[in-house]
């Protein structure tokens, strides 16, 4: 089995707004909890995977809603496209719940890898686009 990479906070991921950076850090913390499941026995993994995915799903939905409220408030022109990206990600998590709950560790590893890469890329690229817009158009914005 290959080693599982971790997805950790780096300052380069900061969007420059404390509230959103804290949300992103929390999502990466949940990813760390997901990663730790792979060190457990198969039985323990099966018992805990559902709770981690539920936590990730719930917090992701909350975070995306809050982020979209900010984009709406500050008139981000690509809000609709960004929200569509969020919705498709939530759908992928929801579609994965049943297969992950089966307890297949390889399925979990693959989903963990997908989630982590998607999340880091989304923060580093897509979220930076809206934050740069707000920093430029609304330099007074604080959240």
């Amino acid at each position: 089995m290959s080693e599982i990479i971790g997805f950790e906070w780096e300052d380069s991921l900061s969007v420059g707004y404390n509230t959103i950076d804290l949300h992103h850090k929390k999502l990466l913390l949940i990813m760390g909890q997901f990663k730790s499941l792979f060190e457990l026995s198969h039985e323990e993994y099966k018992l805990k995977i559902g709770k981690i995915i539920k936590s990730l799903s719930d917090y992701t939905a909350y975070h995306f809603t809050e982020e979209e409220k900010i984009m709406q408030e500050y008139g981000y022109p690509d809000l609709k496209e960004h929200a569509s990206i969020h919705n498709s990600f939530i759908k992928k998590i929801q579609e994965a719940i049943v297969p992950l709950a089966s307890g297949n560790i390889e399925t979990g590893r693959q989903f963990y890898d997908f989630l982590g890469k998607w999340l880091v890329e989304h923060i580093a690229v897509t979220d930076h686009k809206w934050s740069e817009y707000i920093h430029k158009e609304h330099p007074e914005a604080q959240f």
Side-chain angles (χ1 to χ4, degrees):
M1 253 187 276
S2 60
E3 185 174 333
I4 300 169
I5 61 168
F7 299 100
E8 313 225 339
W9 177 259
E10 297 175 12
D11 288 341
S12 64
L13 294 174
S14 174
V15 295
Y17 296 109
N18 194 45
T19 300
I20 298 302
D21 285 346
L22 288 173
H23 287 194
H24 290 158
K25 288 175 184 178
K26 168 101 179 188
L27 286 168
L28 290 169
L29 182 70
I30 296 169
M31 288 298 296
Q33 293 168 348
F34 190 173
K35 181 183 179 213
S36 72
L37 295 181
F38 302 120
E39 300 166 11
L40 302 175
S41 70
H42 185 253
E43 291 74 28
E44 289 179 291
Y45 173 86
K46 272 183 85 164
L47 287 172
K48 295 184 177 180
I49 185 67
K51 183 177 179 187
I52 291 292
I53 296 303
K54 173 93 169 90
S55 176
L56 184 66
S57 177
D58 290 351
Y59 196 79
T60 300
Y62 162 75
H63 165 67
F64 286 169
T65 299
E66 293 303 301
E67 208 175 69
E68 290 168 19
K69 284 180 192 173
I70 291 167
M71 287 185 257
Q72 171 116 28
E73 180 180 345
Y74 291 99
Y76 181 58
D78 294 327
L79 168 60
K80 192 177 255 183
E81 179 185 338
H82 198 105
S84 175
I85 292 166
H86 284 169
N87 289 337
S88 76
F89 184 68
I90 292 286
K91 188 176 178 190
K92 283 205 184 285
I93 293 174
Q94 291 169 341
E95 289 169 353
I97 290 173
V98 171
L100 288 168
S102 75
N104 183 309
I105 293 176
E106 187 53 35
T107 300
R109 285 174 175 263
Q110 291 171 2
F111 195 66
Y112 167 83
D113 192 50
F114 160 77
L115 283 177
K117 288 177 180 172
W118 188 95
L119 185 60
V120 170
E121 174 79 9
H122 182 77
I123 295 168
V125 177
T126 313
D127 284 349
H128 274 86
K129 286 180 185 174
W130 70 255
S131 73
E132 287 167 11
Y133 170 84
I134 295 174
H135 283 293
K136 182 179 176 212
E137 300 296 322
H138 303 277
E140 75 290 352
Q142 296 289 317
F143 45 87

